[in-house]
Amino acid sequence: MSMNYLFFGMFVFYLVGATSAVILNKKDRLCSYTSFMSAAIAALLGIIFSISVIFGDTFSYDLSGGSYLKFGFFIDRLSAFFILVISISVLAVSIYSTGYVREYFGKKNIGYLGFLYNIFILSMVFVASADNAVMFLIVWELMSVVSYFLVVYEHEKPETRKAGFIYIVMTHIGTGFIIMSFLIFVGTSGSYSFGTFAEAGKTMTPLLKDIAFIFALIGFGTKAGIVPLHIWLPYAHPAAPSNVSALMSGVMIKIAIFMLIRVFFVFLGASQSWWGYVVLALGTMSAILGILYAVVESDIKRMLAFSSIENIGIILIGIGASMIFFADGKPILSTLAAMAALYHLLNHSIFKGLLFMGAGSILFSTHTKNIEELGGLIKKMPKSAILVLIGVLSISALPPFSGFISEWLTFQSLLLGFNLKETFPMIILSISAAILALTGALAAFCFLKFFGIGFLALPRTKHAEHAKESNTPMLIGMGIFASLSILLGIFPFYVLPILERITASFIGNLDSFTFSSFATVAIPSSTISLSTPAILALMFIFMLLLFGILFLINRKKQPVYETWGCGQPVSTSRNEYTATAFSKPVQIWFKSLYRPAREIDVTYTTSPLLKESFKFESRIEQVIEQYLYEPVVDFVIIRSRKARRIQTGSIHAYLGYIFGTLVILFMFVIAGGSP
Amino acid sequence: MAEIVFGSNTMQLLIALILVSTFMILGSTRLYSCIRAFGIQSFMLACVAGIVAYSTGKDEIYIIALLTILFKSIVIPYFFIYIIREIKVKREIDLYVKISPSLLIGGVLVVISYYLIRSINVISELSSFALSASMSLVSIGLFIMISRKKAIMQMLGILIMENGLFLGAISLTNGMPLLVELGIFFDVLIAVLIMGILIFRINKTFESIDTDMLKTLIG
Amino acid sequence: MIPALVSVILQIIIILALSPLISGIIKKIKAYFQIRKGPSIFQPYYDIAKLLRKDSVVSQNVSWIFHAAPIISFAAVLTAGLLIPIYITSLPLGFAGDLIAVVYLFALARFFTALASLDAGSSFGGMGASREMFVAAMVEPALMLSIFAVALNVGSTNLSYISQTLSGMGLDALSPYQILAFVALLIIAIAETGRIPVDNPSTHLELTMIHEAMILEYSGKQLAIVELGAMAKQLLIFSLIANIFFPWGIASAYSGIAALVFALFVYILKIVIIAITMAVIETSTAKWRLFRLPDLLSISLMFSFLALVSFIIVKGG
């Protein structure tokens, strides 16, 4: 009974947040507090609710009364997990937002933002809890439309408008494919309820199953940002306000993964292993392409967006492996791979949220998101810097932080592929592991560049010189995520049993195998184990010893002097390495992918020896956008132009169209009605 | 009998080293390294033949092994070095396909060869390694001919293909009849000599043995 | 409990005591090939002692990261050291991490050193950090495939178990896939320890540096820690190669002082042989251009891929 209160309490608080935002929209400060703190309270309720579902029973509630319009909630452990992910993110981001939106006080309508924010989160919760296809599609569309408005919140900028346009078009293409996939299930089962889809999945012909698989993959893949359907992500996530980007990257793209798991495992029964291979291949491709484009970016938010594509790829690698194992009848291996994927999903929503909030803090205090213009922030914003550093260490998968655990688990599950007796999976899984290793190293490269060039040494421009520390709500929000990153890294053995309950809901129960014992993560029936608390403890001991030794030896003062500049008396920021220079080796290595183009424009004064101005532009092509999308878009536009000829402007022509259509319809009725 | 021989650790080691030498040829941009690697490859091949001869007791295979060492490990590499010195070619190889992609394609070819051999059901498990290696050598030899510009590399490619076929023949049938083997040998030797002479002539006439330049000789 | 603590402390002492000696031996062998006398093999000890006595000049641009990085990096390397079997296969702390954890601990050490080099704000630091992370990215795929090849052969990534199993296999441990993986790991070791042809550890020209450029700003006792850390990492990488590919002679349990001393002696012998091999490789090749390094690492990747494929062909299917 109390679960009802929790769930509807959550729902109520989001509505309170939304309505209060509308009512109070003239009073910026009060409005920001009520709408965001309301969301935070709702998130807290959401966390309690989802944990009780995971450890208890599934929750369902039927609101429909009529025959056609069904409206009900069904939350099993998988949905509860995603509500948990949503709620954790919303809690931290909401607290952060109360500080962040001070940027917009007086300039934009805070009530509008607060309203959209709450409705957006509410729609995501509904997507996770819908129990039938119609309600799902309605709230999915609501989520897409509300997020569009959030993306174009700063619509005064033309690039934001373009970003919104690409986003709305891509998301609707995706929705179209989702509808088609659902229609196959509805057609087979005769009902819109998700509960019947699983049965329908068993009775469908293999061809229908394959088609449903592909449509669902394309549809939800567009929302998740899988290559080659990802092109909207690098536009939309940077354009939105940073707190919204944190939610979009952290949570919204994960909802797509949630539905992919539902469709593949629950509805379709993951019976074909070639599906798993396709998912694995797409995941690997997204991972490597995502990080390759992130490495060469100097815009912080665009870099984070590409990194999200990379991490979705890593999650899909885990899910693909899980599907391959499941189709081969190996539930233990399948569970391990799925746990790795879900762990990474949780971790990513936390550390990506942290990094986006960090980017927001940087934007808030320096008004620039170009790494090339930053520098020295660690001295101006010391607390934010440490929190961002924790996010950077997590995303680079370094021990003992959270990213390391999920990457370790993913590698171990790929390694276990050698328990399958055929050689094809062994080769594919090893290739995937090699590419995953490359991805991880490039991610470390990318985020080292971000933190090293953005935060360390001297400020490169006036923007960075005038940076101030972030305000308290922002620090609290980031602090929550930073602590979670550390905790999820040190205590994975508390998280894994929870994940096991969740994977049990779609893979099946494993009776006697446990993946964790005291302070360690262990792979069952092998000697492989990992204990991050032990590693952390060892490191602490060594660090203390070293610090002590260094402190005691040679207690002279340390003279401070200029950085070594080959004997030249230089110590300006002009000497520092730039972000572009830092990523140049990778750009040269993958030259054939990036196709860099360089343009140099020189204007001379009267003499050819004296230059007036020198413009250097270096560009990188987005290969998929250029060679896949642009031709298709051009084709569509050309055909549409030709089709415009129907619109003659003459009333007689339009009446003629109506008449023609009527005649054809009459003929259909006649033909259909004949016995 | 052959299965037992090819299942032994030493044999697998030798075949693995043959594959390694092939990749050394693929991964190198220096002519001398390629020729040296080819010499090593032929030597290992001779060792393989020697082990087969030892275990089957057919003495003719010993002769083949010796001939392999003599010609393919010593004479032909020296002949190549002689050509290089005489023509004073640039000792760097120009490539149509760069090193890293060539290596990756080589890896893919090895995997494809393996699956190709597996699809023929008559082959037993143990000699499948030797057969996949021989298929790999043939395909990688062909790939070297396609992707390298120098005429000498094309000769080397044919020789690698021949090595591959030899390895395949030994592992399938424990060596072909001596006469056939000798015949093939001398064919190859004469072919190399003719190619050598032609290279001299081409160089004398056109001052270059870059096949890129030779492309302009049409119509 | 007590033997475990003693074993741990002993392992740390051995690592710290042996690392400078190995560096010294490599330098001596290189000098021998270059027909000069070279410094004494104990010179690195004297160097570290000297550095500990000197002032450390610190750049005015740096933050706490510069001061913390040597400590964090060295701690990470030592932690990894406790997970690698040195003279005995049973590691009291072996449950804490496997081979993959060791690789990532090294990555952690490298990350902080690179961060610190960007902290001083010099171009050399940026260049060193960029190149070092670039080389690390190239090495990762080959390293992961080699780990897979070894792990498949044995059935685990747990280092104690790998050593134990392989030392029990006798000469069978020299199977073709092991040898291929060994060659791949040798190339990777050259890259990770910063030796020719990847990096020149004794160059003084900043534009040719990778690792040295990262630590250019360090001096005094901090430089001592950084140098010792690099030497320890080198020793640990050599130990990995020695105890995975040539594990005979390693003690398997506390079976008496004599057996332990013998195992230690065999271990030192193996490491010295690997050091000599490295010196020979360094002397016989020249440093490669930075953008030719992907080719070298592709060769290593192919070796490890061949190792995997030959394992699959011979054993699997």
Side-chain angles (χ1 to χ4, degrees), chain A residues 96-212:
Chain A
Y96 172 86
S97 301
T98 49
Y100 182 72
V101 295
R102 291 182 200 169
E103 162 118 359
Y104 295 122
F105 281 178
K107 291 182 223 156
K108 298 189 71 62
N109 192 332
I110 306 289
Y112 181 55
L113 182 62
F115 171 72
L116 288 173
Y117 182 84
N118 280 288
I119 300 293
F120 175 52
I121 300 170
L122 193 58
S123 61
M124 285 199 287
V125 171
F126 281 165
V127 165
S129 37
D131 78 339
N132 68 71
V134 174
M135 173 184 166
F136 177 85
L137 286 170
I138 294 175
V139 288
W140 181 266
E141 182 66 19
L142 180 67
M143 182 178 83
S144 307
V145 169
V146 171
S147 52
Y148 165 76
F149 283 116
L150 280 169
V151 165
V152 296
Y153 183 64
E154 296 183 30
H155 51 78
E156 351 21 284
K157 300 187 198 148
E159 60 264 14
T160 312
R161 295 198 293 270
K162 174 181 175 191
F165 177 69
I166 298 181
Y167 173 56
I168 198 87
V169 168
M170 289 301 294
T171 198
H172 278 106
I173 295 178
T175 310
F177 278 98
I178 296 174
I179 295 178
M180 287 200 281
S181 176
F182 279 176
L183 279 177
I184 297 182
F185 286 105
V186 169
T188 318
S189 76
S191 137
Y192 287 101
S193 164
F194 279 159
T196 59
F197 279 15
E199 289 306 314
K202 291 191 192 120
T203 57
M204 289 198 291
T205 65
L207 179 66
L208 273 182
K209 278 201 215 181
D210 289 343
I211 298 179

Side-chain angles (χ1 to χ4, degrees), chain A residues 166-453:
Chain A
I166 298 181
Y167 173 56
I168 198 87
V169 168
M170 289 301 294
T171 198
H172 278 106
I173 295 178
T175 310
F177 278 98
I178 296 174
I179 295 178
M180 287 200 281
S181 176
F182 279 176
L183 279 177
I184 297 182
F185 286 105
V186 169
T188 318
S189 76
S191 137
Y192 287 101
S193 164
F194 279 159
T196 59
F197 279 15
E199 289 306 314
K202 291 191 192 120
T203 57
M204 289 198 291
T205 65
L207 179 66
L208 273 182
K209 278 201 215 181
D210 289 343
I211 298 179
F213 165 75
I214 294 181
F215 283 165
L217 184 61
I218 298 179
F220 289 113
T222 314
K223 190 57 133 200
I226 306 178
V227 166
L229 303 157
H230 65 286
I231 54 163
W232 59 273
L233 230 156
Y235 289 106
H237 285 200
S242 309
N243 53 344
V244 173
S245 311
L247 282 184
M248 285 176 73
S249 248
V251 178
M252 191 179 74
I253 52 184
K254 313 303 194 319
I255 299 289
I257 303 280
F258 155 67
M259 280 311 291
L260 278 176
I261 297 181
R262 264 266 193 87
V263 173
F264 294 162
F265 279 98
V266 178
F267 297 169
L268 289 173
S271 47
Q272 303 271 42
S273 52
W274 74 265
W275 295 345
Y277 286 116
V278 167
V279 172
L280 184 73
L282 283 178
T284 313
M285 218 166 56
S286 307
I288 188 71
L289 280 177
I291 197 62
L292 279 176
Y293 281 117
V295 162
V296 289
E297 268 299 327
S298 299
D299 177 332
I300 298 181
K301 291 176 76 169
R302 226 168 120 87
M303 174 188 86
L304 290 174
F306 277 118
S307 163
S308 294
I309 298 177
E310 174 225 344
N311 282 286
I312 288 286
I314 298 180
I315 297 173
L316 282 178
I317 289 179
I319 294 186
S322 182
M323 284 166 72
I324 296 176
F325 293 140
F326 189 78
D328 216 56
K330 301 262 188 307
I332 304 173
L333 303 183
S334 184
T335 304
L336 184 65
M339 286 206 293
L342 289 179
Y343 209 124
H344 196 77
L345 196 146
L346 178 62
N347 283 340
H348 178 247
S349 61
I350 292 175
F351 57 61
K352 190 44 71 64
L354 174 58
L355 287 170
F356 262 114
M357 292 199 284
S361 302
I362 296 177
L363 194 55
F364 188 82
S365 68
T366 63
H367 300 290
T368 175
K369 41 182 183 150
N370 187 348
I371 303 180
E372 307 269 24
E373 295 177 8
L374 299 173
L377 293 179
I378 197 173
K379 299 187 193 103
K380 310 269 195 246
M381 314 166 58
K383 298 186 195 125
S384 308
I386 296 187
L387 296 173
V388 172
L389 181 61
I390 294 178
V392 161
L393 289 171
S394 286
I395 202 170
S396 310
L398 296 174
F401 297 93
S402 53
F404 170 61
I405 302 284
S406 49
E407 195 128 323
W408 187 87
L409 279 173
T410 312
F411 276 123
Q412 292 293 353
S413 56
L414 287 175
L415 187 57
L416 285 171
F418 289 85
N419 287 323
L420 297 175
K421 282 309 160 203
E422 299 135 31
T423 55
F424 185 66
M426 294 189 209
I427 295 184
I428 298 291
L429 288 171
S430 340
I431 295 179
S432 185
I435 297 183
L436 182 62
L438 179 61
T439 307
L442 284 174
F445 182 96
C446 176
F447 284 95
L448 184 91
K449 170 184 109 176
F450 163 58
F451 191 78
I453 303 219

Side-chain angles (χ1 to χ4, degrees), chain A residues 88-98 117 243 246-247 357 481:
Chain A
I88 294 178
S89 289
V90 170
L91 180 60
V93 173
S94 304
I95 299 180
Y96 172 86
S97 301
T98 49
Y117 182 84
N243 53 344
L247 282 184
M357 292 199 284
F481 271 169

Side-chain angles (χ1 to χ4, degrees), chain A residues 636-650:
Chain A
V636 169
I637 290 183
I638 293 176
R639 294 268 158 265
S640 315
R641 286 224 179 97
K642 300 229 173 102
R644 273 231 315 240
R645 282 190 241 143
I646 303 182
Q647 195 176 29
T648 57
S650 132

Side-chain angles (χ1 to χ4, degrees), chain C residues 130-167:
Chain C
S130 161
R131 289 178 174 184
E132 176 84 12
M133 298 302 287
F134 171 61
V135 171
M138 286 192 282
V139 165
E140 284 291 313
L143 185 53
M144 196 48 71
L145 278 188
S146 311
I147 293 178
F148 268 38
V150 169
L152 285 183
N153 197 11
V154 173
S156 168
T157 52
N158 181 326
L159 280 163
S160 309
Y161 185 75
I162 292 177
S163 255
Q164 183 90 31
T165 318
L166 288 173
S167 65

